[in-house]
Amino acid sequence: MSDPHSSYHRYHIDTGDAPDRVPWPSRFNVEVKRSGLAKLILTELVQYRGDPEIVLSRPCVYGVFSGPFGGFAPREEKCVGCLRCTTQYPEWVQVLPNPDRAALGDGYFTFDHVNAVAYEASTGRVPVRGAGYRGRFGGEGWDGMWTDMSEIVRPTRDGIHGREFISTEIDIGDKHNFLSFGADGQPAGPVPRVLSLPVPMLIDAPPPAVATDALYRLLAQAAAELDTLVMLPAHPILRLNLRGPHVVPLLAPADRDLVRVLPFHPRLVMLDGMDDALYSEVRERLPEALIGLRTPFIDGEQLLAHIANGIRIFHLTADYHGRDPEGVFVFDRIRRAHQTLVDARIREEVTLLGSGGIVAAEHVPKAIIAGLDAVVLDTPVLVALQACFDGDFTGPTLDTLRLPRNLDPAWGLRRLKNLFASWRDQLLEILGAMGLREVRRLRGEIGRAMFQRDLEREAFGEIEGYF
């Protein structure tokens, strides 16, 4: 068998239709005045001399009125909100947002985000608003950051349609600013130890409220086929015999005795909180593995202290609404961590991963611009599997989320591959519009972003009472 790495292989994610398995509320309620519709049909019967081709034709190319009873029983699940019917017959038809659909999300992962993720996971395509965007152009969190598309340098570098290849590959590991060589030409000092991923998106361990053996297996299989990494606790790894280069054991201090019985030699091990005894055990038992630290966002001094102790990979976590315990949004914390490493002149030696508050495709490049090397996806993965929020987010365990019963592995795998394909295509569009040929050059490029608060301060700061 030939070596798969002996020839060039362009990264590609296969996509396919994976429609919703669990009936979700339709996006719109189509309200038809039946008496008015009956009068209209009678009028057309007389006007068009009973021609059924004309009388029975309804103003919807998507089939909302294609049922056996036509407009008297509209098929609301087919409505896309184009509003042609209301434009042509405003007296008889009204299309309104379905309040039941709005209840699918929560205060942060809004139903607009749920709609987008559902479309991306079911089709693998990029959502397009053909009627134009009618939403706000600013707001809190990521909505207060805009990417700057004014740096286009070549028309051929055109995202997913361009003739020039744009790399989304990133490196995770122990890197160094320079190499030292001895008289024999061999490295005399530490050498880089990295693993490369073709896409800057990893999969986080599911919260305990939804974690099942079926879900663990599904996430592991998805990570393998997407050629990325999934972080899983030690106990399900041992219980389900999950193994492979795509599995990252997530070890808590209480898991120290489990290190020696792991069923494989992982490329990366994440410590769930710093524990010196666990760190020493992993280094001794798994000398070839990279070791990272999963921790809430910490201040610069703590970050540098961990680096001095040998940690070079950090998974910085916020809550599912993107806030740290002090209520600071994740974007500001990412910038602080990134700037700490830049000021210490060790940014290239450290890998920063981040999770929390990343619920849309646009948040991935924004988080990388803020300073992350890659993002770790949590709630979008679950919503792609049709998880629903039972109320608003209340705490770090995310116990308000509910997955559908009897999760079909083949369907779930297709949904996750579609989601990653769509989000990667949207990342390529951002990179192409900026004229960048690789995502690694996007990291920390604050000059490629604009911030609502800064622009408003510059434009309106001299107006008394504005701020």
Side-chain angles (χ1 to χ4, degrees), residues 77-95:
E77 70 277 4
K78 293 181 176 293
C79 182
V80 300
C82 70
L83 302 182
R84 180 196 167 187
C85 57
T86 63
T87 301
Q88 189 169 353
Y89 299 105
E91 303 90 351
W92 319 127
V93 185
Q94 290 294 320
V95 176

Side-chain angles (χ1 to χ4, degrees), residues 193-205:
R193 295 195 309 149
V194 300
L195 59 91
S196 297
L197 300 179
V199 62
M201 293 180 287
L202 292 71
I203 302 175
D204 202 4

Side-chain angles (χ1 to χ4, degrees), residues 159-186:
I160 59 178
H161 306 293
R163 295 187 293 274
E164 291 190 14
F165 176 67
I166 300 176
S167 173
T168 56
E169 184 171 298
I170 54 104
D171 297 323
I172 297 175
D174 190 357
K175 298 165 282 186
H176 302 277
N177 289 331
F178 57 88
L179 297 175
S180 299
F181 296 90
D184 59 354
Q186 298 299 317

Side-chain angles (χ1 to χ4, degrees), residues 385-421:
L385 300 175
Q386 287 199 267
C388 295
F389 292 89
D390 183 14
D392 206 356
F393 166 81
T394 57
T397 60
L398 199 64
D399 53 5
T400 61
L401 203 63
R402 298 288 181 268
L403 273 173
R405 297 180 179 179
N406 302 322
L407 191 61
D408 179 27
W411 172 83
L413 178 62
R414 173 58 60 199
R415 297 273 291 194
L416 295 185
K417 292 176 72 173
N418 284 347
L419 178 71
F420 269 68

Side-chain angles (χ1 to χ4, degrees), residues 334-411:
I334 295 172
R335 288 193 66 179
R336 294 179 195 175
H338 172 76
Q339 193 60 46
T340 295
L341 301 179
V342 171
D343 294 340
R345 301 182 180 181
I346 56 173
R347 182 62 187 90
E348 294 299 331
E349 301 181 24
V350 179
T351 300
L352 292 182
L353 311 175
S355 64
I358 298 173
V359 300
E362 68 184 71
H363 298 170
V364 175
K366 288 181 177 181
I368 295 175
I369 289 174
L372 292 183
D373 291 277
V375 301
V376 185
L377 302 183
D378 40 45
T379 48
V381 171
L382 302 176
V383 172
L385 300 175
Q386 287 199 267
C388 295
F389 292 89
D390 183 14
D392 206 356
F393 166 81
T394 57
T397 60
L398 199 64
D399 53 5
T400 61
L401 203 63
R402 298 288 181 268
L403 273 173
R405 297 180 179 179
N406 302 322
L407 191 61
D408 179 27
W411 172 83

Side-chain angles (χ1 to χ4, degrees), residues 142-359:
W142 297 115
D143 290 337
M145 176 184 180
W146 308 323
T147 50
D148 186 357
M149 307 299 183
S150 63
E151 298 293 330
I152 298 177
V153 295
R154 277 188 172 181
T156 55
R157 195 173 300 155
D158 183 24
I160 59 178
H161 306 293
R163 295 187 293 274
E164 291 190 14
F165 176 67
I166 300 176
S167 173
T168 56
E169 184 171 298
I170 54 104
D171 297 323
I172 297 175
D174 190 357
K175 298 165 282 186
H176 302 277
N177 289 331
F178 57 88
L179 297 175
S180 299
F181 296 90
D184 59 354
Q186 298 299 317
V191 296
R193 295 195 309 149
V194 300
L195 59 91
S196 297
L197 300 179
V199 62
M201 293 180 287
L202 292 71
I203 302 175
D204 202 4
V210 298
T212 63
D213 289 352
L215 182 59
Y216 285 132
R217 291 192 185 98
L218 171 58
L219 296 181
Q221 184 180 2
E225 298 204 15
L226 291 166
D227 200 7
T228 186
L229 301 176
V230 59
M231 301 182 186
L232 297 176
H235 288 285
I237 289 177
L238 295 171
R239 184 175 65 254
L240 305 174
N241 194 27
L242 302 175
R243 60 175 69 198
H246 56 285
V247 175
V248 178
L250 182 61
L251 303 177
D255 299 328
R256 179 184 172 189
D257 294 337
L258 302 180
V259 176
R260 65 191 68 184
V261 294
L262 285 175
F264 70 109
H265 293 281
R267 295 189 295 172
L268 171 64
V269 174
M270 296 299 295
L271 308 182
D272 193 5
M274 190 61 193
D275 182 82
D276 293 336
L278 176 61
Y279 180 55
S280 300
E281 183 74 13
V282 173
R283 291 190 63 179
E284 179 182 350
R285 299 285 180 178
L286 304 170
E288 299 300 322
L290 298 169
I291 304 176
L293 175 62
R294 178 190 179 102
T295 177
F297 279 88
I298 52 181
D299 60 37
E301 292 184 2
Q302 292 176 296
L303 187 64
L304 295 177
H306 289 311
I307 294 172
N309 290 331
I311 300 294
R312 293 293 187 275
I313 304 171
F314 294 89
H315 176 192
L316 305 175
T317 64
D319 68 24
Y320 294 101
H321 283 190
R323 302 283 176 178
D324 70 359
E326 299 176 359
V328 180
F329 189 68
V330 61
F331 169 77
D332 298 301
R333 298 310 303 260
I334 295 172
R335 288 193 66 179
R336 294 179 195 175
H338 172 76
Q339 193 60 46
T340 295
L341 301 179
V342 171
D343 294 340
R345 301 182 180 181
I346 56 173
R347 182 62 187 90
E348 294 299 331
E349 301 181 24
V350 179
T351 300
L352 292 182
L353 311 175
S355 64
I358 298 173
V359 300

